[in-house]
Amino acid sequence: MKKTIVSIVGFSMIFGAAGGVYAGANLQEIKAYLNNDISVKVNGKSVQLLDAQGNVVTPITYDGSTYLPARAIANSLNVAVDYDAAANSVLFGEKVEGTPVNAAQTFYQAIKDPNLTKYKNKDYGEVIKDTENSGSNFTLEPKGKYQKLYLQVAAIGSEVAIKIQDKNSVLLKQDTVKIEDGLKTIEVNVAGLNEVTVFYSYENNDKSGVFVPLTTSYYK
C-alpha cells in the first residue's frame, strides 16, 4: 500500500462549518494570524487548500502551531470528511454505520413492486431491475460525504458487465457479475465525489437482466 506523506509546518486542523453552528458553543477567543507563508505538499506535490465552495483558504498560526482546515486537508488526501452537527463532531474516512444508497437520494427509476423486488425469495423493498435493455445506467449521489460505496449486484440469466465512473468519465471500478456469484458486493472508493454513474450491460435476450438492491447497497 502506498504511503501518503504530508509536508506541513506545525500540524493541527480546523474544520469550516456553516454559519450558525457555533451559536452557544464552548468557544474561547484567541489572537491568531493568517499565515500565507505556509505551503502544503502531498507526496512531494504542492496542493492548493480549498473550502467546500472551491475558495482558497489560508492556514492559521497560533501560539507556535499551524492550524489547517480539515476539509481542505481531507480532500487533498482523498479522504471523505463530514460534519455531524448533532454530535458537534468531524468525521473522517469511512463511517461506523453504513447508509443505504436509497436513504441518500431518490431513485425515480427504482422498482418497489413486491412482485419484482425479490431475489432468491428475499424481498429487498426497492431495487434497480432491468430485463428489457441490453444495457443502461443509473447515477448515485454520495455528495462527498462518504469514503466507500458498497454496491450489490446480481446477474439474471447471463453475466453482467459493470463499469462505475465519476462525472468526468474517469473509470473507478470495472467488474463482471456471474450468475453463480449470487448477490455480489462491489467496493468503490468515492471519497470527494458528488456523483458516480453505474453502467451495466448483459446479453440481449428475454431471460437476462440485472438486479441491484438499493436497501442493501450502501455508503460508509
Side-chain angles (χ1 to χ4, degrees):
M1 182 173 66
K2 183 178 178 181
K3 183 178 181 180
T4 298
I5 301 174
V6 185
S7 301
I8 53 177
V9 176
F11 180 63
S12 296
M13 291 194 293
I14 56 175
F15 189 86
V21 170
Y22 300 117
N26 184 19
L27 300 179
Q28 179 180 352
E29 185 176 356
I30 63 172
K31 183 178 181 180
Y33 301 89
L34 295 175
N35 193 337
N36 292 291
D37 290 333
I38 294 292
S39 62
V40 177
K41 292 183 178 180
V42 175
N43 293 325
K45 296 182 179 180
S46 295
V47 296
Q48 181 70 71
L49 301 181
L50 304 173
D51 64 16
Q53 288 72 45
N55 302 310
V56 175
V57 289
T58 304
I60 292 174
T61 295
Y62 167 70
D63 196 23
S65 294
T66 297
Y67 294 80
L68 301 174
R71 184 180 298 281
I73 290 296
N75 290 342
S76 298
L77 297 175
N78 197 30
V79 174
V81 61
D82 197 13
Y83 180 70
D84 183 345
N88 198 25
S89 300
V90 180
L91 310 175
F92 290 98
E94 289 193 34
K95 309 294 190 296
V96 175
E97 301 292 336
T99 300
V101 296
N102 68 330
Q105 72 181 92
T106 299
F107 291 87
Y108 294 102
Q109 74 272 49
I111 295 173
K112 298 182 181 180
D113 183 346
N115 294 316
L116 301 173
T117 56
K118 293 179 182 178
Y119 178 76
K120 292 188 175 180
N121 297 319
K122 180 177 178 178
D123 189 354
Y124 287 89
E126 183 176 1
V127 306
I128 298 291
K129 185 177 183 180
D130 189 353
T131 56
E132 298 180 1
N133 305 292
S134 59
S136 189
N137 63 82
F138 58 92
T139 299
L140 298 170
E141 300 175 353
K143 297 182 179 179
K145 295 181 179 181
Y146 307 97
Q147 186 74 24
K148 295 287 183 67
L149 162 67
Y150 295 87
L151 183 71
Q152 294 200 308
V153 182
I156 302 172
S158 64
E159 66 180 36
V160 176
I162 298 290
K163 290 197 303 183
I164 302 175
Q165 300 179 350
D166 68 13
K167 66 178 181 180
N168 296 315
S169 298
V170 174
L171 182 64
L172 304 174
K173 192 83 172 189
Q174 187 167 347
D175 206 341
T176 298
V177 182
K178 300 178 181 179
I179 299 173
E180 57 266 30
D181 291 335
L183 202 55
K184 183 175 182 177
T185 300
I186 301 173
E187 179 181 335
V188 189
N189 190 332
V190 295
L193 299 178
N194 286 317
E195 65 179 53
V196 298
T197 301
V198 180
F199 296 88
Y200 58 85
S201 59
Y202 49 85
E203 186 179 335
N204 188 12
N205 63 60
D206 58 4
K207 296 182 180 180
S208 296
V210 64
F211 183 95
V212 181
L214 301 175
T215 51
T216 55
S217 295
Y218 60 96
Y219 299 114
K220 285 191 75 175

